Amino acid sequence: MALDVLSPADAVALLEEAIGTGRVTAEPQAAVRIADLCGHRPLVLRVVAARAVDRPGLALADLVAELEAEQHRPGFRAFCEDAALSGVRAAFSWSYHALCPESQRAFRLLGVHPGREFSTEAAMAMLDSIDRNATRRLLDALCAAHLLQEVSPGRYRLHDLLRAYAQDRLREETMPRHRMSAVRRLLSWYLLTADAGRRVVLPYSHEVATVPGERFAIPAFADAEAAMAWFEVEHSNTLLAMDQAMDTGQYDIAWKLPVVTDGFFELHAYWEEWEEIHRTGAEAACVLGDRLGEASNLLALGDAHMQGGRWESAIANYESALSYAREADDAWLTGFSLRGLGLVHEQMGDREEARQYFEAALEVFRREGVPRGEGMALLSLGELAAHLGRLDEAVSLGARAVEIFTTIDDEWSQAWGMLALAGALLEVGRGAEARKSLTRAAETFGRFKDQRSLAMTLAALGDVHHRLGDTSAARHSRLSAAELYVSFGEHTEGERLEEKARESADRDLPKGEGRIPPPGTFSPVQGGDG
């Protein structure tokens, strides 16, 4: 809760509540002066009050004297030109210097974190600690001094003013190389943790060498749901970490962090951020002259531009990614760059060109042993066959892709393959199989918190139910899909599905409407990790 500066009377009342009515009543003028020195700010008053409570025999007049003397401590300087903040800094400084040296070091290093909240594990990285219990004791001590707040079990918040003060102390009392080491440890922790999540959510997505991780406490994600939940909590921190990596010249982490978090941003449909992180990643890799890094991020930029319908820029990014991938001798990137080019040409209506790219990608994946890539290339060829009316071929290719995903135990890709296959199954009269496949896909996308793919699946399931004569189930699926699309801000698609849900039970679908559009038509997950 954000609180404004209190009135003088309310500031004194807060102080009275914190340290006791008797002490304030005994020295009312000193209490007023303490409130003034704290700038009438609730946070600062609580910091000062916590210290006063620890010293019950201290007269408030002596406390005032100590706070005023703090402003004359050698090396004292204000946060900014605002004279009112001079008292705030004095209050923090007074409390800080009462800490033991170990707690002072911990407080300084916590200022390295770019976000407002962080976990115990992130704190361990900043403090260069492998002892969780010792770290918790330090964090608890800072909380007791009101220099830190535990907002939930294992998560902490450093108020903006306190972060600024911690950073100030860090500059004054810590050598530059030690500050940079703390930054490097924190960024390494985010890179390693995000990569651990990637391996659980999308185990066959592009893998890059990260950094040594023996000294870090990396969470063990039990399943995809746990990994997606971590990302949702740390979403803003990962973005800030990428900026921090660029600002501090940690260019290797700056290009790798977008790559290992790519699937998280894509599955959550954070379109603008998804594009921005890969633009930054490509820039960082370019600074290093790292072709693998450039190819990795340019491929994802191609995906982002294709998703946005920017065909020419998508082609340019895919072609650059393909060139750099071949230079880096990376089969995964080579194959998916070729597939991405095929997808763009398919969207542009050049199906023969698309087929050639898909077949070239399939050849690379098979030759180099990239099973997920092989499955995705087969899906693309199957969708192309369905467009051309070769439905038996589409079913065969789609079924082979799903079989591959099942063999390698890639749940998300298996669900995606089922969604792609369902349309062809329905068209060849195997509607019951299509319904079963889509039901399973919807369950998987729900567990993965992939709301966009879930919306597509529910819309397709509505068409299958309708074709099979279950208009009640069709209406339910379409309304559920419509609700999701509206939540994304895609009101036109939501309204279209709501209109379909209102179709009368005995009305046949208009010509062509019963066919499930292939996933590539709408999917955010089409190239790269898709």
Side-chain angles (χ1 to χ4, degrees), residues 220-256:
F221 299 113
D223 50 35
E225 293 171 275
M228 294 297 280
W230 175 85
F231 175 75
E232 195 60 31
V233 171
E234 295 286 355
H235 163 227
S236 61
N237 282 339
T238 56
L239 290 170
L240 291 169
M242 292 175 200
D243 289 339
Q244 188 177 40
M246 287 295 287
D247 292 341
T248 56
Q250 306 291 317
Y251 296 119
D252 60 332
I253 292 179
W255 80 252
K256 292 176 181 179

Side-chain angles (χ1 to χ4, degrees), residues 36-349:
D36 288 342
L37 288 169
C38 292
H40 303 144
R41 296 172 183 268
L43 170 71
V44 187
L45 284 161
R46 291 298 297 170
V47 169
V48 170
R51 177 85 175 110
V53 168
D54 287 341
R55 301 166 68 190
L58 179 69
L60 296 190
D62 292 336
L63 194 157
V64 169
E66 290 184 8
L67 287 173
E68 290 178 335
E70 196 69 37
Q71 295 180 339
H72 302 291
R73 178 186 289 271
F76 179 91
R77 60 188 180 87
F79 283 137
C80 61
E81 298 301 320
D82 188 346
L85 288 180
S86 176
V88 172
R89 187 182 188 280
F92 290 163
S93 179
W94 177 71
S95 186
Y96 169 77
H97 285 105
L99 299 172
C100 68
E102 188 179 20
S103 294
Q104 288 181 355
R105 173 183 176 273
F107 177 72
R108 292 194 302 269
L109 290 176
L110 294 181
V112 162
H113 199 285
R116 295 192 65 188
E117 290 187 13
F118 53 86
S119 65
T120 301
E121 294 82 3
M124 291 173 67
M126 289 183 279
L127 304 185
D128 198 15
S129 171
I130 58 173
D131 189 330
R132 183 181 300 272
N133 291 331
T135 301
R136 283 299 304 266
R137 287 193 293 272
L138 285 170
L139 297 175
D140 289 344
L142 293 176
C143 288
H146 286 273
L147 295 175
L148 187 67
Q149 179 188 7
E150 187 172 17
V151 294
S152 62
R155 288 197 68 80
Y156 299 86
R157 177 179 297 154
L158 196 61
H159 187 280
D160 291 346
L161 287 174
L162 284 166
R163 185 187 305 108
Y165 179 68
Q167 293 169 345
D168 189 49
R169 300 306 337 132
L170 192 65
R171 287 190 296 269
E172 293 290 332
E173 301 180 34
T174 305
M175 297 180 67
R177 66 173 179 267
H178 294 154
R179 297 199 301 267
M180 192 54 62
S181 292
V183 171
R184 178 74 183 186
R185 290 194 301 270
L186 178 66
L187 295 176
S188 296
W189 181 83
Y190 272 108
L191 177 64
L192 290 164
T193 305
D195 193 50
R198 175 198 64 80
R199 291 196 301 272
V200 173
V201 177
L202 295 168
Y204 295 94
S205 56
H206 191 218
E207 184 167 354
V208 295
T210 53
V211 293
E214 294 78 11
R215 65 195 294 185
F216 300 110
I218 305 302
F221 299 113
D223 50 35
E225 293 171 275
M228 294 297 280
W230 175 85
F231 175 75
E232 195 60 31
V233 171
E234 295 286 355
H235 163 227
S236 61
N237 282 339
T238 56
L239 290 170
L240 291 169
M242 292 175 200
D243 289 339
Q244 188 177 40
M246 287 295 287
D247 292 341
T248 56
Q250 306 291 317
Y251 296 119
D252 60 332
I253 292 179
W255 80 252
K256 292 176 181 179
L257 195 49
V259 173
V260 302
T261 58
D262 175 80
F264 291 117
F265 282 92
E266 198 173 11
L267 294 185
H268 277 282
Y270 293 137
W271 304 132
E272 293 182 6
E273 294 172 351
W274 181 39
E275 182 174 343
E276 183 58 34
I277 63 171
H278 287 297
R279 188 179 295 113
T280 299
E283 179 185 347
C286 183
V287 171
L288 295 175
D290 191 315
R291 290 306 200 198
L292 178 64
E294 288 187 87
S296 300
N297 283 281
L298 288 171
L299 171 63
L301 277 177
D303 295 344
H305 289 186
M306 180 173 63
Q307 190 277 334
R310 290 168 283 172
W311 313 130
E312 296 303 325
S313 57
I315 288 174
N317 281 308
Y318 282 136
E319 288 179 341
S320 295
L322 178 60
S323 174
Y324 296 153
R326 284 170 169 164
E327 190 173 334
D329 194 26
D330 189 296
W332 195 101
L333 291 171
T334 299
F336 275 105
S337 297
L338 288 166
R339 178 174 175 266
L341 286 165
L343 290 168
V344 177
H345 283 285
E346 183 180 21
Q347 293 291 332
M348 296 173 67

